[in-house]
């Protein structure tokens, strides 16, 4: 949605994803700012506000995607605690994020990360952790587990979007 403002870009992706679901054989669709397993996820310096002073102050480069409300379910990534992203997670509501268990253990070992906050590099506004999902493979099969975050696309819109579709039938 290059050249579109945020509202128009998000509406464009919503309409394309809905239209994709009308194609015979398409079971579901979702939108994200990148492509998992293609080395096309984003990376940002994240500063979890936990006990580790260095991590809290300096942060660490971590993988992320901005996704629509159904993306995590679309991929089948299990929710371990808290909640997943919803359509209500927009720019009119407090900023939220879903993290993976690898990041939860790195930033808040032996603590419940729900309700904890992170900060982004050059951004002092806190983002609340509302859910923890199982760590999975993000960029390449065989990669070591990495800390990863899922931000609501309505709160962190980059203008870049990929439509993902799930189909029925034989994959060959």
């Amino acid at each position: 949605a290059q050249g579109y403002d945020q509202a128009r870009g998000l509406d464009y992706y919503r309409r394309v994803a809905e239209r994709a679901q009308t194609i015979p054989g398409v079971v579901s669709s979702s939108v994200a700012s990148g492509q998992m397993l293609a080395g096309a996820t984003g990376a940002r310096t994240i500063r979890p506000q936990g006990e580790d002073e260095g991590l809290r102050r300096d942060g660490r480069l971590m993988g992320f995607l901005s996704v629509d409300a159904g993306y995590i379910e679309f991929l089948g990534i299990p929710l371990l605690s808290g909640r997943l992203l919803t359509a209500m997670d927009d720019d009119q509501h407090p900023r939220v994020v879903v993290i993976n268990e690898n990041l939860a253990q790195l930033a808040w070992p032996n603590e419940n990360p729900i309700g904890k906050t992170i900060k982004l590099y050059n951004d002092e506004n806190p983002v609340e952790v509302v859910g923890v999902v199982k760590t999975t493979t993000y960029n390449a099969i065989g990669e070591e587990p990495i800390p990863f975050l899922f931000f609501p696309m309505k709160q962190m819109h980059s203008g870049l979007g990929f439509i993902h579709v799930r189909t029925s039938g034989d994959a060959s």
Side-chain angles (χ1 to χ4, degrees), residues 125-146:
N125 297 312
V127 181
E128 181 181 349
V129 175
V130 295
V132 178
V133 295
K134 185 170 179 51
T135 297
T136 188
T137 303
Y138 302 97
N139 294 304
I141 294 173
E143 73 184 0
E144 292 294 318
I146 62 170

Side-chain angles (χ1 to χ4, degrees), residues 12 15 17 32 34 61 63 65 67 72 84 98-99 103 112 119 128-129 141 162 172:
Y12 170 78
R15 287 184 290 116
L61 196 61
L65 283 174
V67 301
I72 297 169
L84 296 173
V98 170
I99 65 173
L103 174 51
N112 180 358
K119 292 182 179 178
E128 181 181 349
V129 175
I141 294 173
F162 292 85
S172 62

Side-chain angles (χ1 to χ4, degrees), residues 46 64-69 72 82-99 113-120 123 125-132 149-157:
I46 306 297
F64 82 95
L65 283 174
S66 294
V67 301
D68 72 9
I72 297 169
R83 69 170 179 86
L84 296 173
L85 303 175
T86 73
M88 295 298 294
D89 295 322
D90 60 19
D91 59 1
Q92 302 301 309
H93 292 89
R95 298 192 319 169
V96 298
V97 65
V98 170
I99 65 173
I114 304 302
K116 305 285 189 187
T117 59
I118 64 161
K119 292 182 179 178
L120 308 175
D123 184 349
N125 297 312
V127 181
E128 181 181 349
V129 175
V130 295
V132 178
L149 306 93
F150 295 95
F151 293 98
M153 190 172 266
K154 291 181 179 180
Q155 292 182 350
M156 188 182 286
H157 181 62

Side-chain angles (χ1 to χ4, degrees), residues 46-48 50-60:
I46 306 297
R47 297 180 298 135
E51 296 294 321
D52 183 326
E53 184 179 337
L55 194 56
R56 188 173 62 243
R57 182 189 62 241
D58 301 328
R60 178 173 162 182

